[in-house]
Amino acid sequence: MSSHVLARFSTVVATILLATALLCCTSKESATPLDDEARAGGVALKCYKALYIENRAETFLNGSLSYDSLSSEQRQQLLTFYNQHVAQVGREHGGVNSIDFLRAESDTALNVMQVFLKMTFTDNTQEEVVVPMVQTDGEWKMK
C-alpha cells in the first residue's frame, strides 16, 4: 500500500472510532451510576451557577447544610450578604461567565468531599474554588 492510501485508511478508522465513542458517551442511560464525587460535584456546580450566573441566592443557600435551621431574620441577612457579594464580584470582574467542575476528592478523616470548581470571570481572570460537601440523609449539601 502507498503511504497516501495507508494515511487515508487510518483517518477513516479513526473517524469511525471517534463516532462510536461519541455515540456511547451520549446515550440516554449511563452505563454506571454516578459516584459520590460526581454527585457532590454536580450539586456544588448547580449551587454556584445559581448564585453567580443566574443570580438566585436563595437556591444557592438552599444547597447549604445549615440553612434550614436559621431563623427567617438570619436567612434574610444571609441573602442580603450574598447579594452584596455577587454585586461586588460584578464590580470587580464584570460578573462570572462560567463555572466548571474540575474534580472532587474524598476526605475520609473529616467525612467531607472537597469539590474543586473553576470560575471564569468576564474580565478573563479565573479562580479555583474549593467547596466542602457533606452527605446527609442521602443528599449532598455545602458545608
Side-chain angles (χ1 to χ4, degrees), residues 21 26 47 67 73-74 129:
T26 58
C47 289
Y67 189 62
E73 183 179 310
Q74 290 171 319
V129 180

Side-chain angles (χ1 to χ4, degrees), residues 100-119:
D100 299 301
F101 171 75
L102 296 175
R103 69 188 180 283
E105 298 173 1
S106 181
D107 185 337
T108 54
L110 297 175
N111 200 27
V112 171
M113 184 75 66
Q114 302 290 355
V115 176
F116 296 81
L117 303 175
K118 179 179 74 173
M119 298 175 60

Side-chain angles (χ1 to χ4, degrees), residues 68-130:
D68 294 339
S69 64
L70 298 176
S71 70
S72 60
E73 183 179 310
Q74 290 171 319
R75 286 181 184 201
Q76 191 56 47
Q77 289 172 347
L78 204 50
L79 280 169
T80 300
F81 169 76
Y82 277 99
N83 287 327
Q84 290 171 348
H85 172 72
V86 170
Q88 179 182 353
V89 168
R91 284 190 305 275
E92 291 176 1
H93 298 288
V96 177
N97 272 349
S98 65
I99 303 171
D100 299 301
F101 171 75
L102 296 175
R103 69 188 180 283
E105 298 173 1
S106 181
D107 185 337
T108 54
L110 297 175
N111 200 27
V112 171
M113 184 75 66
Q114 302 290 355
V115 176
F116 296 81
L117 303 175
K118 179 179 74 173
M119 298 175 60
T120 303
F121 300 97
T122 303
D123 64 3
N124 290 324
T125 58
Q126 295 181 338
E127 180 178 336
E128 187 173 300
V129 180
V130 180

Side-chain angles (χ1 to χ4, degrees), residues 6 29 49 69 75:
L6 188 56
E29 292 183 26
K49 282 186 176 181
S69 64
R75 286 181 184 201

Side-chain angles (χ1 to χ4, degrees), residues 44-63:
L45 186 61
K46 176 185 171 189
C47 289
Y48 269 71
K49 282 186 176 181
L51 178 64
Y52 288 103
I53 295 176
E54 300 163 7
N55 198 19
R56 296 185 304 138
E58 183 86 32
T59 300
F60 176 83
L61 292 171
N62 280 329

